[in-house]
Amino acid sequence: MSNFTNTSLQVQPVAARIGAEVRGIKLSADLNTSEVSAIRQALLKYKVLFFRNQHHLDDHGQEEFSRLFGNLYNHPTVPNKNGTNILELDSTHGSRADAWHTDLTFVDAYPQVSVLRSVVIPEVGGDTVWANTATAYESLPKALRNLVDQLWALHTNDYDYAAYHTNASSEDYQYYNDLFTSTIYETKHPVVRVHPETGERTLVLGQFVKRILDLSLSDSNQLISILQDHITKLENTVRWRWKVGDVVIWDNRATQHYAVNDYGDQTRVVRRVTLAGDIPISVDGKRSVTQRKFKTIPEKV
């Protein structure tokens, strides 16, 4: 366990390539600049930070704490909780994110950081797993790195929901059709982006990828599968068993995550605040672009 200079933070790695538990701190908007800086440094190093026993935080406290790290960013299609900047993910209303993804890559400047607080946790199941997209890139063979450095992919929220969520309930489908795709986005991202703070190269993929551009659909699907296998290799991941009062912060520019849907009809409620990100830049200096946005038309009954 390591201590950060001028703070009481104790940081204990949870897995070798990603994730650390942070102790010795009570999260709030009253943290001093040294503590905020230490959390930011730890986040850039470990990609995901876990904080136990933050029961004092309510919705307002979570929002105000999150503001210490950037401007708050609201989901482009799903409404927030009661006019706040908080997105509530309630399993009883179809919010089960059981597919590997980086949050909101169907827009150009997708969030840089997510802050997730547990409210209701199943007695059994409901873990979340994160993967390091920087070490995934580094572990690719050199020839494959040279290839993906040049590639771009189309991301959209209008994807094959049934293919990614094979055990989806009727509530899941309704959530997807009525809310998540109420506006359709299509965005071109580089498959490899340069992290704006660390300079690392990270893979930008996940469930919102429709296809890799300039490849046949068959070749695109096969290459995406190869790259996703590298990202989600067990040695490249960390798994967290939630308790009520936990807060997890992750770098959304360097990770993917997956909420394990193994808790049946038990209830799982978590609340998320996201921080505005920057438009990804490719290795040759080009920027992502949202090329299409349109409202969906409800089907006639």
Side-chain angles (χ1 to χ4, degrees):
M1 182 176 291
S2 59
N3 291 286
F4 280 78
T5 305
N6 300 324
T7 74
S8 60
L9 267 68
Q10 298 176 325
V11 181
Q12 176 64 57
V14 177
R17 295 185 181 179
I18 179 174
E21 183 176 351
V22 182
R23 303 170 187 168
I25 193 166
K26 182 178 180 179
L27 301 181
S28 77
D30 298 325
L31 298 184
N32 61 45
T33 55
S34 294
E35 292 168 323
V36 173
S37 177
I39 292 174
R40 171 70 76 172
Q41 292 174 37
L43 182 63
L44 294 175
K45 179 177 181 179
Y46 295 105
K47 315 305 184 195
V48 186
L49 301 179
F50 306 103
F51 302 81
R52 294 281 196 196
N53 301 314
Q54 304 296 319
H55 300 279
H56 60 282
L57 279 181
D58 57 12
D59 292 348
H60 178 71
Q62 181 180 1
E63 287 182 289
E64 294 308 300
F65 163 72
S66 300
R67 290 183 197 276
L68 296 175
F69 298 89
N71 296 321
L72 304 192
Y73 177 88
N74 291 331
H75 196 288
T77 60
V78 180
N80 285 334
K81 177 179 178 286
N82 298 328
T84 68
N85 294 107
I86 288 179
L87 180 68
E88 181 171 84
L89 302 171
D90 185 339
S91 62
T92 61
H93 298 152
S95 299
R96 300 193 184 211
D98 53 339
W100 282 105
H101 65 287
T102 296
D103 284 336
L104 309 183
T105 59
F106 50 86
V107 298
D108 50 8
Y110 58 85
Q112 59 158 308
V113 170
S114 293
V115 181
L116 194 65
R117 175 171 61 96
S118 60
V119 179
V120 179
I121 296 300
E123 290 186 10
V124 177
D127 297 358
T128 303
V129 188
W130 285 264
N132 188 332
T133 61
T135 55
Y137 172 84
E138 292 170 2
S139 68
L140 292 174
K142 182 178 180 180
L144 190 50
R145 289 200 307 269
N146 291 338
L147 171 64
V148 296
D149 280 348
Q150 307 170 53
L151 298 177
W152 287 70
L154 183 67
H155 293 237
T156 179
N157 55 330
D158 185 22
Y159 63 97
D160 187 350
Y161 188 84
Y164 280 97
H165 304 272
T166 55
N167 296 317
S169 66
S170 59
E171 291 81 6
D172 297 330
Y173 283 111
Q174 183 174 355
Y175 176 90
Y176 175 75
N177 289 322
D178 295 348
L179 290 176
F180 199 82
T181 56
S182 56
T183 299
I184 301 298
Y185 293 83
E186 292 183 346
T187 298
K188 292 181 180 179
H189 286 301
V191 173
V192 179
R193 72 173 293 182
V194 178
H195 195 290
E197 294 185 73
T198 66
E200 295 172 300
R201 296 183 180 186
T202 67
L203 293 169
V204 186
L205 292 165
Q207 76 179 101
F208 302 124
V209 173
K210 188 171 186 177
R211 64 179 299 167
I212 295 177
L213 301 175
D214 300 322
L215 297 183
S216 70
L217 183 59
S218 175
D219 288 345
S220 170
N221 289 341
Q222 291 185 62
L223 183 54
I224 290 170
S225 179
I226 290 170
L227 296 173
Q228 277 294 133
D229 284 348
H230 275 271
I231 292 170
T232 61
K233 187 177 180 181
L234 288 178
E235 289 80 359
N236 199 43
T237 66
V238 63
R239 181 165 178 156
W240 187 250
R241 174 63 184 135
W242 291 93
K243 295 180 181 178
V244 173
D246 286 357
V247 171
V248 179
I249 306 174
W250 67 90
D251 187 339
N252 196 54
R253 302 160 297 185
T255 58
Q256 287 186 21
H257 58 281
Y258 183 109
V260 184
N261 186 6
D262 61 348
Y263 49 96
D265 59 0
Q266 298 179 84
T267 300
R268 182 182 187 271
V269 179
V270 292
R271 293 178 183 159
R272 189 182 78 196
V273 173
T274 54
L275 303 179
D278 50 283
I279 297 177
I281 299 177
S282 67
V283 298
D284 60 356
K286 297 178 182 178
R287 294 179 180 270
S288 301
V289 58
T290 296
Q291 64 174 22
R292 195 168 181 226
K293 180 175 74 170
F294 58 94
K295 292 282 186 180
T296 56
I297 301 174
E299 294 183 4
K300 293 183 179 180
V301 179

